[in-house]
Every structure is written in C-alpha cells, then in structure tokens.
Amino acid sequence: NFMLTQPHSVSESPGKTVAISCTRSSGSIATNYVQWYQQRPGSSPTTVIYDNNQRPSGVPDRFSGSIASSSNSASLTISGLKTEDEADYYCQSFDSSNHGVFGGGTKLTVL
Amino acid sequence: EVQLVESGGDLVQPGGSLRLSCAASGFTFSSYSMNWVRQAPGKGLEWVSYITSSSSTIYYADSVKGRFTISRDNARNSLYLQMNSLRAEDTAVYYCVRTVYGSGRHFDYWGQGTLVTVSS
C-alpha cells in the first residue's frame, strides 16, 4: 500500500495563487483517481476536486486539480485567493484493496 | 437536501463497546455505498470502513479490522458501526460519508460527526 504526503502548511496573500502538492509514495499517481477535500475549522469536509480534476457544482473555477507523473504527485491549485479559502485541505485516493487513503492534510493560511 | 446525521458517540472505557448510527435522508439511501471516516482530535482524516448498497461487499481499515463491524438497514435508511475492544487511539470524531461513482469514486456528502472518547 502507499501513502500520500502533503506539506504541513502553506501560506499566501489574498489575490495570489497557491498550489498544494500530494505525493504518492509507491505506485503510479495515475493508477487511481485523486480527490481533494476542504475542511474549514469546526466543519465537516467538503469536496473541491474529484477524479483528479473535476469540480463539483458550486465549487468556483478558482479551484483546479492536476496530476504529474514526473513527480508522482497531484496538485490542488487555488487562484485569486480569498480569506474564505483558509482551511485544511486533504488529498485522497483508493488503494488496490479499495481502501481509502488520505494525505496528512495541509493547513492553508491566507494572510 | 441530502442529510446524514450521526449519533451514538460517548465516553467509553478501554476495552468497551459502542454502536454508532447514521440516519440518512434526502436521497435514495438503498442506492448508495456508504463509509465511516474518523478524525482524531487535532489530526487528519482516516478512512475506517465501506459498505456497498446491498451490503454484499465490506472493507475495513487494518487498524479496526476484527474489532469494528459496519452494517446498514435500507428499510430504516440507516448506517451503523459496531465498535468493540475500543482503544484510546480510537478516540475521534466519526463521520458518516456517502460514496458517489463517476469515472472513479469519491466521498460527496459528510455528516456533522459524532465524538467517541475512549478513556478510563
């Protein structure tokens, strides 16, 4: 089985663009789809990206997802940062046993 | 409106048991696979268990296999998690989570969570 590794925290200014990485420890990142969940303080997680790069309805197009085989990682990019984007972000995939695998989470600070 | 409402969280001693419930509404519960996902205080998310719509396929995380049992009652629109031999490291908020299938599958709706505390 594999692990998904995220940076513990990132920070950026309002209006800027930030990318959060999610690196798969073994096996190809392209083998299983990657999702991204946003969790604001005191709230349950919500989906911002699924199937690597798909946005649920209601999620602004400032949020985008991608995968890169060269680095065996997925990325969540948020452009035009707003203070409301400040949250924890988790990447997630499934392993060969159909078990859910989450990254450790990244705390995004918009300052 | 999709709603998932967990209940049953409590303070329990190590080695004890607890049964969590999740009441689903706003969608055809019997058509969806469901999961339990937990989050220890101040920590990240951990997938716990999965059950298909008909209960024909069930998966568990290695950390709970043999101690936890997931089940569902489609007639009651309810999901359950029976937790036995509880340990301090099982202390967490437990979320009831719906699975949706597209090209892949992902978790699209989460409940508000119920807190389980394992302590003497």
Side-chain angles (χ1 to χ4, degrees), chain B residues 32-105:
Chain B
Y32 287 84
S33 298
M34 300 294 295
N35 305 264
W36 289 98
V37 175
R38 68 184 181 184
Q39 186 170 34
K43 302 297 184 182
L45 301 170
E46 179 187 15
W47 172 83
V48 173
S49 186
Y50 162 91
I51 186 169
T52 53
S53 57
S54 64
S55 305
S56 59
T57 299
I58 287 173
Y59 302 120
Y60 296 100
D62 291 344
S63 57
V64 307
K65 195 169 186 178
R67 300 187 299 123
F68 289 12
T69 302
I70 191 172
S71 63
R72 64 191 295 160
D73 184 339
N74 287 341
R76 296 179 181 271
N77 291 334
S78 293
L79 177 72
Y80 306 102
L81 186 67
Q82 177 66 44
M83 303 186 294
N84 298 331
S85 303
L86 282 162
R87 306 166 180 167
E89 54 265 36
D90 295 319
T91 294
V93 172
Y94 285 73
Y95 294 102
C96 169
V97 186
R98 191 177 82 167
T99 298
V100 66
Y101 285 81
S103 297
R105 61 182 161 117

Side-chain angles (χ1 to χ4, degrees), chain A residues 7-82:
Chain A
H8 181 70
S9 62
V10 296
S11 61
E12 189 51 271
S13 302
K16 299 291 189 179
T17 297
V18 70
I20 299 173
S21 63
C22 171
T23 303
R24 178 166 167 159
S25 62
S26 62
S28 172
I29 191 70
T31 299
N32 306 93
Y33 287 104
V34 176
Q35 283 63 242
W36 291 91
Y37 301 95
Q38 177 192 68
Q39 186 178 33
R40 294 191 172 107
S43 296
S44 302
T46 61
T47 310
V48 291
I49 293 290
Y50 67 94
D51 292 353
N52 295 340
N53 55 18
Q54 301 299 302
R55 271 180 292 106
S57 59
V59 173
D61 59 7
R62 300 186 297 105
F63 289 80
S64 63
S66 63
I67 62 169
S69 296
S70 58
S71 56
N72 211 36
S73 64
S75 288
L76 172 68
T77 300
I78 310 171
S79 60
L81 275 169
K82 301 183 177 184

